[in-house]
Amino acid sequence: MKKVSLYFISATFLSGLLTAQNVNFVEAGGSPINAGTSSLRGFASGDLNGDGKKDFVIGNSYANTLSIFLGNGAGQFSHANGSPLASGSDLIVANGTGNDVSLFFGQTDGSFVEAPGSPIATGQYAYQTAIADFNSDGQQDISVTNGLDDEVMFFLGSGTGSFTNADNSPIAVGTNPQPICTDDFDGDGKPDVLVGHFLSQDVIVLLNKNPVGISDPTKSGNLNAFPNPAKDGVRINVQNFQQGMVMIVFDAVGKEVDRVSVSSADFLYPGKNLAKGIYVFGIYFNNIELGSGKIIFE
């Protein structure tokens, strides 16, 4: 089983001088929206039904349900079919006193189906989750704060909707961790974690020290990428090489930006037409993905 390695430091925030400027907001048509049934808590937004328009979901904590609203692209929203949805989560829901998280797969009509193996057991009082590829294998993982255990757990994704606890998870943090978010806070191209403590009223930053690139013996297309980050091209090493393999490169929003034939088990990918940034690459044979990872071009 793979593991997540993070280093943590205390966060210090310095107040600065702000120049006062006006902001201008107008309430959207149809607002306010009758959003839930009981004690609204926790928002998430995104294109939930794949129509290119922003939608949102909100948790109803006392009713143990999720209300899902589909957007029309003009700032107006309507209830999705089957909403509110019982929770128990492509949605991840931290179930608080249930001591678990639920995973729901999104359907094209905006409805959701609970994934096999859901809910996933956590520690005491799963408060909030954050999603990112923490071990750089090209798959989305889950981090969750366990508020009563003073820890953060990391579940590594398989890419098929199943998750396993990382070897060194959970990681101890401060007293009563609740809010959590993820972003690249130190500029190395890897997702770090920010955790807030309800009782001690402070924040810690967990810096991600996992290597970029993967070598996963569970995949038939075992591969590595180096150097990574790269400036003048990256060398890709593919085990179990077969003629006809293809490498496809995607940008940060999942758009295909390059496609090349894999000429040998060890080849140089120049990436000459790629701007600086983070890319996901996959090795395919007969349209089946055999391995994937990340490349950072500087």
Side-chain angles (χ1 to χ4, degrees):
M1 187 182 297
K2 293 171 274 187
K3 65 181 181 180
V4 172
S5 300
L6 297 110
Y7 291 62
F8 63 89
I9 59 174
S10 296
T12 302
F13 296 94
L14 301 178
S15 59
L17 297 176
L18 300 177
T19 302
Q21 294 180 341
N22 292 329
V23 294
N24 186 12
F25 291 90
V26 176
E27 190 168 3
S31 174
I33 304 166
N34 184 11
T37 59
S38 176
S39 187
L40 306 184
R41 185 172 297 182
F43 276 104
S45 63
D47 181 9
L48 300 179
N49 61 345
D51 65 355
K53 301 168 185 175
K54 292 294 185 180
D55 314 305
F56 74 87
V57 59
I58 188 168
N60 306 307
S61 62
Y62 292 150
N64 295 323
T65 61
L66 299 170
S67 292
I68 300 161
F69 294 86
L70 304 181
N72 66 359
Q76 283 130 12
F77 299 85
S78 59
H79 271 281
N81 293 335
S83 174
L85 175 72
S87 70
S89 8
D90 294 88
L91 286 176
I92 300 286
V93 179
N95 294 319
T97 55
N99 301 330
D100 54 29
V101 295
S102 296
L103 169 63
F104 292 96
F105 291 151
Q107 309 300 299
T108 56
D109 63 354
S111 63
F112 290 83
V113 176
E114 189 162 11
S118 173
I120 303 167
T122 63
Q124 294 189 77
Y125 201 84
Y127 189 85
Q128 194 172 58
T129 63
I131 312 301
D133 179 11
F134 294 115
N135 63 338
S136 301
D137 68 350
Q139 311 300 338
Q140 294 295 294
D141 310 310
I142 303 171
S143 61
V144 57
T145 48
N146 295 326
L148 297 182
D149 288 335
D150 301 338
E151 64 191 21
V152 176
M153 293 187 75
F154 292 87
F155 297 93
L156 305 182
S158 66
T160 61
S162 63
F163 294 85
T164 55
N165 194 13
D167 282 353
N168 58 332
S169 169
I171 294 176
V173 290
T175 304
N176 196 213
Q178 293 192 6
I180 186 171
C181 70
T182 180
D183 208 331
D184 179 12
F185 298 118
D186 58 357
D188 66 354
K190 293 176 287 188
D192 308 307
V193 174
L194 194 69
V195 180
H197 301 115
F198 180 74
L199 294 180
S200 56
Q201 299 180 18
D202 58 13
V203 174
I204 62 172
V205 182
L206 303 173
L207 297 181
N208 191 336
K209 296 303 179 182
N210 283 290
V212 176
I214 64 169
S215 179
D216 185 352
T218 67
K219 295 186 177 180
S220 58
N222 212 19
L223 57 93
N224 285 287
F226 56 92
N228 205 350
K231 292 183 178 179
D232 301 314
V234 58
R235 185 161 292 281
I236 309 294
N237 178 262
V238 181
Q239 296 185 23
N240 301 323
F241 166 75
Q242 300 179 66
Q243 291 289 344
M245 283 182 169
V246 175
M247 173 176 162
I248 304 177
V249 182
F250 305 89
D251 64 14
V253 298
K255 179 182 177 182
E256 181 179 330
V257 294
D258 201 4
R259 179 185 292 244
V260 297
S261 296
V262 178
S263 57
S264 65
D266 187 88
F267 68 99
L268 179 67
Y269 173 67
K272 292 181 179 179
N273 297 323
L274 300 183
K276 293 181 180 180
I278 302 174
Y279 298 87
V280 174
F281 70 98
I283 302 297
Y284 295 82
F285 182 72
N286 289 337
N287 295 319
I288 298 174
E289 182 184 299
L290 303 178
S292 62
K294 285 185 178 179
I295 307 173
I296 303 174
F297 279 98
E298 297 182 331

